[in-house]
Amino acid sequence: MQTKILLDEEEMPKRWYNVLADLLSPLDPPLHPATQKPVGPEDLSAIFPMELIRQEMSPDRYIDIPAEVLEVLSLWRPSPLYRAKRLERHLKTPAKIYYKWEGVSPAGSHKPNTSVPQAYYNMKAGVERIATETGAGQWGSALAFATMLYDLQCTIYMVRSSYTQKPYRKSMMQVWGAECIPSPSTKTKSGQVVLAKDPETPGSLGIAISEAVEDAATHKDTNYALGSVLNHVCLHQTVIGQECREQLAKVDEYPDVVIGCVGGGSNFAGISFPFAGDKMSGKHKDVDLIGVEPASCPTLTKGLYAYDFGDVAGLTPLLKMFTLGHDFVPPSIHAGGLRYHGDSPIVSKLVHEGVMRAVAYHQSEVFEAAQTFARTEGIIVAPETSHAVKAAIDQALECRKTGEAKTILFNCSGHGNFDMTAYDAFYAKKLVDYEYPAELIKQSLARLPKIP
Amino acid sequence: MHRIGFVVNPVAGLGGTVGLKGTDGVITEALRRGAVPSANERAISALKYIHGNDITFLTCSGLMGETALQKAGIFCFSIVYNSPVGSTTADDTRRACRLFLDEHVDLVLFCGGDGTARDVYDTVGSKVPMLGIPAGVKMYSAVFAIDPKSVAAVLENAGSLMTREAEILDIDEQSYRKGILSTRLYGIARVAALEEYVQTAKHVIEEKDEERAKNEIANFITEVMLPDTTYIIGAGTTTESIVHKLGLRKTLLGVDVVRNRLLLVNDADERALLATLNNDADSRIIVSPIGAQGFIFGRGTQQISAEVIRKVGLSNIIIVATPAKCADTPLLYVDTGDPELDAQFPDSVQVITGYRIAQRKKISK
Ligand SMILES: Cc1ncc(COP(=O)(O)O)c(C=O)c1O
């Protein structure tokens, strides 16, 4: 039985898979925040390069990856697929557990899969600087790495609670030549408004996005880049799922269950969209696609499927997605990258239509699972990733009960080497099991301010 | 130089060793049964960790303070209260505390149980922070140090202390001896606490964080309060902040009833609560855990009785607490006096801790 299933460099996917081509019905379009009319390419051109806008709206099933991008991706791709033999043995499960290890990238997560093409297209368009936000710091460091490759300047608004929790993430950004600012900051109007209301705020992805978008929109030479949520970001991540399908085929497998944690949805999209395509086309109708989120920010399991802003200040287009409300500031859990009020519109639609489903877990149980994983497979995963680990373990334990030998695939989206304060808190029994009071909110939903 | 008022209740805990729950009014009986006073031993075990030389103690003569200090090797003290010859009473504790206040102490350190905490609180109130060395039979109030060592740590930092709110509970002695825990919120003191340094220096519990948290909780609860619904709102400062947000006055130590953002009943007793529930309107109970054990429901004199809880329904209980309070109380405690009802409580409950933020907490029954 093989432990690592590897692909040769030539076997790397040369095209991104665009799931939009296979959706059962078209995606609801993003709406302009002022007019509430569908946004056109020109509306987005102030902050995105045209090629990314094209990809955002493309109907084509496959989009070629530029050779210059492939060359960079080959630094760590194809990434290994592991059979988690030791974990299986530990769980005494008949299930077969496979995990895709995305922690091998320079930044330590799946994020460079999209930061590299995004920086590349911006460079091609003659942009000089990119502004972005980062939650846990994974995206910020990934974009810092990519912009360095193409000689672009990079300004990163980092959610304040992560900025203090994870000092080494900002050190990485510095090594790669980017500027990292704790958000909310006084550099933008959006940040000033939030700070005036609440100077002690831990910040949130929603606030940091407002700051970065404002920075890009108010500087001519500057564009904006988003690390998740948007269609083109999910598109770039599909190299993950395509590789997995190839790798599993090498050992004559096809997954029964595909799992990924969900912040904005990009790593889950990356691993699951190729399989979702198979599911919708009827080729593999029964594959179970599971997104995993924190109980404190349960967008897919407890949110509303509606149009909402992508950010706190209401600067972004309105997206049809599962949302907890753009003004929701999730509690400071250690999985900073999962603290987002909304979700990818494609993932949202697929969950809404039952092609995918979602589960939510509390903080201490996912760290328990991460510990089990570290003590069997060795890898210390990021707090975000621990959510996927927990769901995979639960699936495997379910198999032990039923005796089924399911093939479980999960995305091991990143390492936790810079998240040791979170593990320290776990061992000090200081992890708080935050949750979202969905019932109370639902009872009074009719009287809540309407989400536009 | 930090000035610490120090008083020992020499007979605290006397009843406990001989199977009497509490000591009030049963001292002679306890001594007859062979009880040996141990409060001074407890005090010494805490005092002996104190090495700081910029602390002055103001204390009482003999067993009410002087003896313990001397035995712990502390000689920098002055006696401001002359203890009576023979047995001491609650009045002696109160008089000593009054003199401490006159001497502008930074903190009152006492050794005793819940009864002593009440006596100290009667005089000191929330004017000066207090801290208890546990030596009583009952220690449900939230003013006691976790262990003897932490007392020394707090005293040595007395100049730059953080304080937090701490509930003083009134436990009915007579029913307690019959095995019935009958709790009532007696007052809210300020207790001296150390900054809790965690890795990221983030978990510092500050008064302003507490106020901010209460404000968030109040914002959220008032936002999700439903029309034509009866809200029974329990005692404490967290629930008080909710009622204040509605622009109404709260009975800090009692239970109020609110409907449609109007105050229906002020300081309601059980009968009044049952009366307001005698219509078909939906109802909710909003409570906050109190005391060191994190009571959400204690039995006996508690106005929110088992019958009231049954009428409202377990699924209609909203528990609120600040994050600091949650951190201090790992378990919540339910003892409604009705074992059947207690058993119906789930193993864990949701506690609202901020704006659209909750925590899951385990319940101990
Ligand atoms: C390691 C890791 N996994 C997952 C995520 C969640 O993001 P997404 O849902 O876009 O994959 C993040 C985001 O920061 C991350 O750093």
Side-chain angles (χ1 to χ4, degrees), chain A residues 116-191:
Chain A
V116 171
Q118 287 196 50
Y120 169 79
Y121 291 121
N122 274 291
M123 176 272 291
K124 282 279 179 200
V127 168
E128 286 169 23
R129 185 170 71 103
I130 300 185
T132 196
E133 74 292 327
T134 191
Q138 293 266 20
W139 168 244
S141 44
L143 190 66
F145 161 71
T147 47
M148 172 211 55
L149 295 175
Y150 299 111
D151 261 342
L152 302 174
Q153 291 170 288
C154 186
T155 307
I156 296 156
Y157 295 86
M158 183 166 181
V159 175
R160 194 204 273 173
S161 59
S162 301
Y163 189 87
T164 41
Q165 269 171 3
K166 301 177 189 187
Y168 295 128
R169 277 284 162 194
K170 59 183 186 263
S171 313
M172 291 174 85
M173 297 177 217
Q174 188 177 21
V175 171
W176 285 318
E179 181 192 15
C180 179
I181 302 164
S183 161
S185 75
T186 51
K187 288 194 88 156
T188 66
K189 281 212 189 73
S190 320

Side-chain angles (χ1 to χ4, degrees), chain A residues 109-111 136 138-139 227-228 261-268 337-338 382 384-385 413-414:
Chain A
S109 75
H110 64 292
K111 301 284 182 184
Q138 293 266 20
W139 168 244
S228 188
C261 64
V262 180
S266 74
N267 89 87
F268 178 52
L338 306 187
E384 292 81 7
T385 310
S413 59

Side-chain angles (χ1 to χ4, degrees), chain A residues 68-88:
Chain A
E68 297 93 321
V69 170
L70 279 174
E71 198 244 335
V72 177
L73 294 185
S74 71
L75 282 172
W76 68 93
R77 301 215 76 84
S79 68
L81 179 76
Y82 284 84
R83 173 81 186 266
K85 288 187 285 195
R86 285 182 174 72
L87 178 61
E88 287 171 21

Side-chain angles (χ1 to χ4, degrees), chain A residues 17-24 61-62 238 241-242 245 254-259 268-290 346-351 353-357 409:
Chain A
Y17 164 65
N18 181 13
V19 77
L20 285 178
D22 289 322
L23 291 185
L24 304 172
R61 181 166 290 114
Y62 288 99
T238 57
Q242 294 184 77
R245 201 167 44 190
Y254 190 90
D256 296 301
V257 188
V258 179
I259 295 167
F268 178 52
I271 196 160
S272 69
F273 280 2
F275 298 104
D278 290 351
K279 187 171 184 170
M280 288 184 288
S281 71
K283 237 196 281 177
H284 288 276
K285 280 206 289 277
D286 295 327
V287 55
D288 191 7
L289 310 172
I290 309 174
I346 305 180
V347 169
S348 295
K349 183 180 167 71
L350 291 174
V351 168
E353 289 174 350
V355 178
M356 300 176 154
R357 65 190 180 103
L409 167 67

